[in-house]
Amino acid sequence: MTDRWLLDPDLALRPAASTPEVRFDSAGEALLGVLHVPAGPGPHPIAVLLHGFPGNERNFDLAQALRRAGYAALVFHYRGSWGVGGTYSWAGVLADAARAICAARDLAPAHALDPDRLALVGHSLGGFAALHTAAADPSVRAVAALAAYDFGAVSQAPDAVLRQAHAMFGSDLLPLRGTSADALFAEMQAAGASWRLDGLAAALGPRPVLLVAAADDTVAPPALHHEPVVAAYGALPRFSHLTLPADHAFSGRRVTLTREVISFLDQHLA
């Protein structure tokens, strides 16, 4: 049987699928995004997608597949990135992710969304933000982190890893404003162990958690960013994980990645 997310919706479904532009406030800045609304009367469960640093890969293929599978998918830019006002920072990303949950629920009446069935799906920096945001907000029903970048683990890593992180932070500043490699590095170091992902197990508790790693990932190598988190979350009752033979962006395994994410959400949000 063909996965439903590989098929266009029935043309008879009303209302038809739509992709409205959305704006919502976070700390006085208007964040820009798009909402992928499925066809049909709803109410539709919601997936808030959190992209990585600086946001070249925004996972729109995943958002479109989620829509075809019946999930409303919100994709947005953080403050200080890609023309959005404000100053870019890691703490700003975390605050914007929390605000996006509220914004998605605010959009529920107008777009037949189900505010009680909301999940976070994040990639790289977005995976880090998804796990921290879910840990801080018990109303998030499920969370999927894809090639999550563990800033807390990096802050305590050997000097060679720290130098690599600093260089990476400086290499992708063009679409960002008000920051620098030094500022981002200092912010990570100041947060230190408090940002470790393996420390979130108790806060995530009984909620469903999916971790997906990429075996050939040179940005977030599984040995540092994935395996310690898997070990820490192993006793969680609804925890699942897998490693795909792919690079950091899952370039050659996007269909497999999509199937895993939708299967996870279907299991826990349907």
Side-chain angles (χ1 to χ4, degrees), residues 143-215:
V143 56
L146 319 175
Y149 191 90
D150 191 339
F151 287 87
V154 171
S155 75
Q156 300 178 306
D159 286 346
V161 176
L162 292 172
R163 288 193 297 271
Q164 181 187 36
H166 188 281
M168 182 179 68
F169 297 164
S171 68
D172 284 320
L173 295 173
L174 185 60
L176 310 179
R177 58 186 290 179
T179 192
S180 65
D182 288 345
L184 294 173
F185 187 82
E187 184 183 9
M188 177 185 72
Q189 292 297 86
S194 69
W195 276 358
R196 289 188 66 100
L197 297 179
D198 56 10
L200 301 177
L204 292 168
R207 286 174 291 165
V209 178
L210 170 66
L211 300 182
V212 185

Side-chain angles (χ1 to χ4, degrees), residues 243-257:
T243 299
L244 298 179
D247 62 7
H248 184 64
F250 300 95
S251 301
R253 288 294 180 271
R254 298 298 297 189
V255 171
T256 302
L257 178 69

